Amino acid sequence: MDLLVTVAKFLVNEILSVPAYLIGLITAAGLIALKKTTGQIVGGAIKATLGFLLINAGAGLVVSSLAPLGEMIQGATGAHGVIPTNEAIVGIAQTQFGARVAWLMIVGFALSLVLARFTPLRYVFLTGHHMLFMATLLTMVLATAGLSSWVVVVLGGALLGIMLVSMPAFAHPWTKRITGNNTVAIGHFGTAGYVTAGAVGQLVGKRSRSTEDMKLPEGLRFLRDSMVATALSMLLIYLIMAVVYVVKAGEKTAFKAFAADNGAAATDLGNYLMQAVMQGLQFGIAVAVILFGVRTILGELVPAFQGIAQKVVPGAVPALDAPIVFPYAQNAVLIGFLSSFVGGLCMLALLAWVLNPAFGLALVLPGLVPHFFTGGASGVYGNATGGRRGAVIGSFCNGLLITFLPAVLLKVLGAFGNENTTFGDADFGWFGALTGYAAKAGDAGGIVLMLLLGAAVLAGAITVQKRVVEPGWDPGARRDAALPGGGQGDAAKAAKAGMAAPGGDAAGTRSYAKIPPPAGAPKPPPPPEA
């Protein structure tokens, strides 16, 4: 039994929870199914693995560059409370529930493959660390409710498997709107925020242009480069917050802000301001690394998935991490990040003044890292259906969700609710809270309610897949019709001239940037002559 536990922990902690290895193995399996040569299989698997390592490297740079800024914001505003950090709460829970988490994750992933094979939900969830986060959350909730270990593993595994195939389906109408095809899905447990952003975009952005269509004076043309625009924006934000913080807290305290995350404290005021400049520039580099990693992995994974679709799961669609949508609307990523953070601040104020005194909900501080990744993706979803207004308001709503839902979740985590951290993304909040409150109905009653919850999620996802995704419903069709030129903006004008628009295609189906097709893909036919 100890050997089985050791093997299970190794599979979960060293392979399944490391997206780079998982993606490499999946890519290799797909290329084997396509009967590629040994060199192509090895090269494709390594390149896909490197693509995810690039994304991880970029994410690490983002976290490092945001750490001092987060300290400045907290110091300048005087806010204190719980900071949602998935990795922190998972690390705390692993010491107590490590074995159960491992078995639950294996059962859940295996069931998700079965559901992908025998239901219309052909999504294969490949974001390994989010599988681990959800497995840990379910283990914490079910174990806190007093359920036995085998019930935690079996019931939790069933709920995890359902979530892995269902959440990509709920978001897929909007994901297809972004990508223009069915090659990838979103595999990230911030889906509630993305769907909300896309839906809000439909409501508010009927005549709003895309964030990627911003017209700039000749002297500001350099801002069309997303890396430059992102770096410059964050540089200005850093400088403003650095000045505010040093004025309020004093030099002695402010200079220590850059010692966060193993950095070096500033030595004087000039060094303090120039470190703020450098952090803003490093943020721009980090985003560029993430975008390059996304392009690298898609160039290998999408063709390889044809083999998996043919041999294992017919019509399989890979569900990947949130940054997978970043290259499609790069301006929207920055807009979404900032708007989501503002939404988090507004919800924090509401928690402090109303919800904490009335209901005892904890004060949840907006963490910059979850707001960057989920807010940035929400900006892309909001932009796809509502242009600039959709990106701003949709990601603002995401910020409200990922600040309010963790406060509700803390109520069902038992002793873990007293920790200074919790899960940060939207789906952890709503699903964890519903599961936790269902578990409070007692052993038998709680199990029945949780099974009904899982069945409802699965039935809802199948309904969306059959009635919305497969018929090809386009959530942005009304906006396209309302905008001048059929809603295609610069892309439509370029199509009439017989040339491709910047960031679009010759047919004018999108006005924002797309990931280039994989090597060897057939070229589309030229547009018909007018």
Side-chain angles (χ1 to χ4, degrees), residues 349-359:
L350 185 62
L351 285 168
W353 295 335
V354 179
L355 299 178
N356 176 267
F359 303 104

Side-chain angles (χ1 to χ4, degrees), residues 78-395:
H80 297 281
V82 175
I83 302 176
T85 308
N86 296 328
E87 292 79 5
I89 191 67
V90 167
I92 294 170
Q94 282 283 343
T95 59
Q96 185 173 346
F97 301 126
R100 275 175 280 187
V101 170
W103 284 111
L104 191 155
M105 183 170 171
I106 291 174
V107 170
F109 185 59
L111 177 61
S112 75
L113 294 179
V114 173
L115 291 172
R117 177 65 179 84
F118 295 105
T119 72
L121 305 175
R122 307 296 191 187
Y123 305 100
V124 180
F125 197 102
L126 296 178
T127 311
H129 59 293
H130 262 242
M131 276 192 274
L132 176 62
F133 296 163
M134 184 61 82
T136 304
L137 170 63
L138 290 170
T139 301
M140 292 166 63
V141 170
L142 298 181
T144 298
L147 298 177
S148 62
S149 295
W150 74 268
V151 174
V152 170
V153 171
V154 175
L155 178 58
L159 295 174
L160 175 62
I162 289 170
M163 289 293 285
L164 293 180
V165 294
S166 297
M167 299 318 294
F170 286 122
H172 208 51
W174 290 273
T175 306
K176 287 174 64 178
R177 168 73 181 177
I178 293 168
T179 63
N181 53 51
N182 196 43
T183 55
V184 294
I186 192 76
H188 188 273
F189 287 125
T191 305
Y194 310 145
V195 172
T196 299
V200 168
Q202 292 174 249
L203 294 175
V204 303
K206 188 175 181 181
R207 296 184 181 277
S208 180
R209 289 287 186 181
S210 169
T211 57
E212 313 309 295
D213 288 341
M214 294 180 179
K215 297 186 183 298
L216 300 170
E218 189 63 35
L220 297 178
R221 284 279 181 177
F222 66 92
L223 291 177
R224 290 188 63 87
D225 186 317
S226 64
M227 181 172 67
V228 174
T230 301
L232 182 59
S233 301
M234 289 305 297
L235 184 155
L236 293 174
I237 292 170
Y238 241 113
L239 280 176
I240 292 170
M241 290 309 306
V243 171
V244 171
Y245 187 41
V246 76
V247 169
K248 181 171 183 179
E251 292 185 358
K252 184 177 180 180
T253 301
F255 288 177
K256 296 178 182 178
F258 292 104
D261 201 32
N262 299 319
T267 56
D268 54 41
L269 184 61
N271 179 252
Y272 173 74
L273 294 176
M274 291 312 297
Q275 284 204 47
V277 170
M278 182 58 68
Q279 293 294 343
L281 296 176
Q282 287 182 342
F283 187 91
I285 293 172
V287 174
V289 171
I290 290 173
L291 296 176
F292 181 66
V294 169
R295 291 188 175 98
T296 301
I297 187 175
L298 285 187
E300 301 300 324
L301 183 63
V302 172
F305 239 76
Q306 297 173 2
I308 295 174
Q310 292 172 6
K311 302 293 184 180
V312 183
V313 181
V317 179
L320 303 172
D321 204 354
I324 211 71
V325 300
F326 284 7
Y328 292 94
Q330 297 170 26
N331 293 339
V333 174
L334 180 60
I335 292 171
F337 163 43
L338 298 176
S339 299
S340 180
F341 185 72
V342 172
L345 291 175
C346 292
M347 181 53 70
L348 173 61
L350 185 62
L351 285 168
W353 295 335
V354 179
L355 299 178
N356 176 267
F359 303 104
L361 294 183
L363 300 184
V364 176
L365 302 183
L368 289 178
V369 173
H371 280 284
F372 172 71
F373 287 104
T374 68
S378 295
V380 177
Y381 276 81
N383 176 66
T385 58
R388 299 165 196 174
R389 283 199 298 272
V392 171
I393 302 176
S395 52

Side-chain angles (χ1 to χ4, degrees), residues 10-31 44-53 56 105-106 108-110 112-113 124-132 164 187 297 300-301 304-305 308 318-321:
F10 174 79
L11 289 174
V12 168
N13 296 328
E14 305 301 333
I15 297 178
L16 292 180
S17 62
V18 181
Y21 295 154
L22 184 61
I23 291 296
L25 292 172
I26 293 293
T27 301
L31 294 174
I46 291 175
K47 194 170 181 181
T49 301
L50 292 176
F52 248 88
L53 291 176
N56 288 342
M105 183 170 171
I106 291 174
F109 185 59
S112 75
L113 294 179
V124 180
F125 197 102
L126 296 178
T127 311
H129 59 293
H130 262 242
M131 276 192 274
L132 176 62
L164 293 180
I297 187 175
E300 301 300 324
L301 183 63
F305 239 76
I308 295 174
L320 303 172
D321 204 354

